[in-house]
Amino acid sequence: MESVVRLEDVSVHYYTFTGVVKAVDRVTLDIPRGEFVSFVGESGSGKSTLALALLRLVPPPGRIVSGRIVFNGMDLLSLPEQKMRELRGKSISMVFQDPMTSLDPVRKVGEQIADVYIEHGVTTDMEEALKLAREALEMVGIPGDRVNYYPHQLSGGQRQRVLIAAAVALKPSLLIADEPTTALDVIVQAKIMDLLEDLMKELKMSVILITHDIALAAERSDRIAVMYAGRVVEYGPVDAIIENPLHPYTRGLLESAPDLWGEKRIKGIPGNPPDLRNPPRGCPFHPRCPRRFDPCDKDEPEYVKVDDRIVSCHLYTR
Ligand SMILES: Nc1ncnc2c1ncn2[C@@H]1O[C@H](COP(=O)(O)OP(=O)(O)OP(=O)(O)O)[C@@H](O)[C@H]1O
Ligand SMILES: [Mg+2]
């Protein structure tokens, strides 16, 4: 299985006045080329920080403190910043949650897409870049003549499409979408997800979707990574995870998703995620875990391979 990107022991900390937040804690996993992989977890579990780390865009006071991120055979964490800037938007692109803050309200959307071609040296001619922008718009299902529209003249869904057009303009091999549809209604959300899937096939991209919605992830992904307190606690093929979640936290998420385990009463997971400045000893989930036993509040579970899954839980360490 060839991977588009491999994370090895990646940790990201925020150095705040009140302590060190271990937002991403020793994450190791492979994203297979051409797959749709979702990172799922509650608010504050480190999903966005992990996505930003992949682009080396973690803002201060955050810092990637250790690990390797291997993309196309290169360790991104040891590349010079100049090289990294070339890669961003060209080989690895990102779409953020809120299209209104990512788009400049006073510039036509076509120009904003055209910027990508100019910045990456595809052309120096604005006319030519605008022609390419028109094609990019059409690729995401927006009529080409809307290059002349301003962001406020488009609907929320169309604005998100514009951002996707800019992100895929240079046909990246990896597209990261961080909660791209949380601000949109469900119908528009489904259409944007369809678009991501279509583009993925058309451009032979891999997609990483960041979402708190495990039902959405289940519907769209080949693979799911479940994050809890900065750790990936379970990672594997979507069908296996839905049918038989190994980690009690994954099970809890599924039981709290109305669309997934159907008839059952929605349970939710009692308690709150830990303070990442001072996470509990042992397994970070143990204070909330219905299946905790002897070692859980003492030893941190290692990753265990179970079939084609990895899981970090003492139920499987012996
Ligand atoms: N700029 C920052 N400074 C300090 N701490 C931060 C910063 N950004 C994030 N954190 C902390 O890092 C942890 C992970 O945050 P992150 O935003 O990556 O989580 P998330 O899973 O994306 O959450 P959400 O679903 O709310 O977007 C949280 O404890 C958060 O408070
Ligand atoms: Mg986030």
Side-chain angles (χ1 to χ4, degrees):
M1 179 177 76
E2 196 201 347
S3 54
V4 62
V5 66
R6 173 172 169 74
L7 305 178
E8 292 173 7
D9 223 24
V10 174
S11 295
V12 185
H13 297 173
Y14 291 99
Y15 294 86
T16 72
F17 289 115
T18 49
V20 179
V21 179
K22 293 181 177 174
V24 173
D25 191 16
R26 291 159 295 149
V27 166
T28 294
L29 51 75
D30 263 297
I31 311 278
R33 192 176 290 282
E35 285 201 2
F36 195 121
V37 176
S38 293
F39 283 78
V40 189
E42 284 166 294
S43 186
S45 55
K47 307 180 297 294
S48 295
T49 302
L50 186 65
L52 291 169
L54 283 167
L55 287 161
R56 256 174 58 185
L57 287 177
V58 177
R63 200 144 48 81
I64 303 171
V65 292
S66 66
R68 279 159 45 93
I69 300 179
V70 183
F71 175 79
N72 284 344
M74 301 170 281
D75 178 12
L76 296 183
L77 301 186
S78 55
L79 285 185
E81 179 54 31
Q82 175 55 33
K83 186 90 184 117
M84 198 60 218
R85 219 172 293 146
E86 282 169 36
L87 281 177
R88 275 185 216 121
K90 183 165 176 232
S91 307
I92 310 179
S93 284
M94 184 143 167
V95 181
F96 296 91
Q97 174 174 342
D98 183 1
M100 238 5 205
T101 53
S102 307
L103 286 171
D104 182 342
V106 298
R107 290 183 69 218
K108 294 174 179 171
V109 294
E111 291 169 7
Q112 301 191 50
I113 300 172
D115 285 348
V116 178
Y117 298 105
I118 305 259
E119 275 162 22
H120 286 274
V122 174
T123 175
T124 50
D125 176 26
M126 197 56 179
E127 282 309 307
E128 173 69 16
L130 280 171
K131 206 172 126 243
L132 294 169
R134 183 181 285 263
E135 289 167 15
L137 273 186
E138 282 166 2
M139 191 161 73
V140 299
I142 296 184
D145 56 10
R146 302 215 174 151
V147 283
N148 292 317
Y149 281 38
Y150 289 92
H152 74 265
Q153 295 175 292
L154 298 171
S155 68
Q158 283 175 327
R159 286 196 289 263
Q160 196 51 280
R161 283 173 194 263
V162 169
L163 286 182
I164 293 171
V168 302
L170 301 176
K171 306 187 170 45
S173 41
L174 176 62
L175 177 69
I176 305 168
D178 188 353
E179 306 270 12
T181 59
T182 31
L184 306 171
D185 69 59
V186 282
I187 312 271
V188 179
Q189 169 171 335
K191 287 193 178 141
I192 297 282
M193 286 296 149
D194 290 344
L195 173 65
L196 288 181
E197 282 185 28
D198 291 346
L199 289 171
M200 186 179 120
K201 286 181 198 123
E202 210 171 304
L203 305 176
K204 298 186 172 55
M205 288 188 303
S206 312
V207 172
I208 292 179
L209 173 71
I210 309 277
T211 178
H212 58 272
D213 183 348
I214 196 169
L216 176 73
E219 195 184 327
R220 301 289 177 167
S221 320
D222 299 301
R223 217 169 277 271
I224 293 184
V226 179
M227 288 195 77
Y228 188 80
R231 300 278 287 157
V232 168
V233 296
E234 181 163 4
Y235 178 53
V238 66
D239 295 342
I241 288 190
I242 301 302
E243 254 161 57
N244 177 29
L246 296 176
H247 201 287
Y249 178 65
T250 313
R251 176 168 287 269
L253 278 184
L254 287 166
E255 284 175 347
S256 29
D259 312 346
L260 271 182
W261 281 8
E263 303 302 300
K264 284 185 195 157
R265 195 166 57 88
I266 298 170
K267 280 204 201 134
I269 307 167
N272 291 307
D275 179 354
L276 296 184
R277 273 178 241 113
N278 190 15
R281 214 179 130 194
C283 168
F285 187 57
H286 87 258
R288 301 170 76 187
C289 185
R291 301 196 60 189
R292 68 171 168 264
F293 60 115
D294 224 17
C296 302
D297 62 354
K298 293 175 198 73
D299 308 324
E300 194 180 11
E302 299 290 316
Y303 278 127
V304 183
K305 214 168 164 319
V306 180
D307 299 325
D308 41 7
R309 253 186 285 184
I310 53 168
V311 60
S312 158
C313 172
H314 283 300
L315 290 170
Y316 310 95
T317 53
R318 53 193 64 202

